[in-house]
Amino acid sequence: MRQLNLDQLRTLVAITDLGTFSAAAKALHLAQPTVSLHISELESRLGAQLVARGSRSVTLTPAGAALVERGRRLLRDADDAVDAVRRQAEGRIGRVRLGTSTGVVIDLLPQVLETLQANHPGIDVEVSILGSADAMSRLAQGTLDIGLVAMPQPPLRDLVVTAWRSQPMMAFVPPKWKAPRRVTPAWLAAQPLIFNDATTHMYRLAVEWFANAGQAPRARIELNYDVAIRSLVAAGYGAAMLPLTPSTDDAWRERVQILPLSPKLTRHLGIAHRSQASLDGATEWVIETLMGFRQA
């Protein structure tokens, strides 16, 4: 037996619901002979009479009723499948792999994901905690879709990095330390220090700031988790250089001294992704949502 034809099955269901061939033809935008052909071919395929034609209406045979009962489910599933493909193609559903640092995850990403969920609930963002170098490497390998990375980054073929946000770097100093109103490299280099890991862009940014002033301090400890660094500063373990972020709220200001650096230092973040022609719809929507949080 040949496979069922969904168009013919849809015609049979329409006849059942509307009662006549002519009404089904009008609803389906088909010529009436085409409706008759659909039913005769369907009956031929199944080797069973499906409808009984009366003078004014059409009724189903027991075989036709059994087919319509199951046919409705088949048509719903087929419509759902088509809709799922369309939503995937349009980017209304999908999985997007995003990599970024712990600081961005805590301070900025929750707002982005909340907005994305409200506007595009079918998009699932899979977040990985990655340094900028690892994020760029995974983007190049195709195992990541978007990276929120420190700028600048070495250019990589087929990857685009767009400026996103800038954050002033500040000195985080234990509350009981006597500190200047503006923290210089010379003063900070003389204190016990907590740095980010040497593989990170934040570490290189700090080291260059010290080096430009002729300083080369060594860290007491290296960590890559901003909240842990702030907690150690609050406990008096050492001073640190961290970006000023939305989570640096009044509660933290009561626990640590947050002081401006002199000279000033700024961390720049960018959105990294593959070239526009390589993006799927879901990734484009996530990038558009991120750009809604871009600083002017």
Side-chain angles (χ1 to χ4, degrees), residues 204 226 261:
R204 292 194 296 274
D226 287 6
L261 298 174

Side-chain angles (χ1 to χ4, degrees), residues 152-164:
Q153 288 291 329
L156 291 175
R157 183 179 179 182
D158 296 328
L159 294 186
V160 177
V161 183
T162 304
W164 185 44

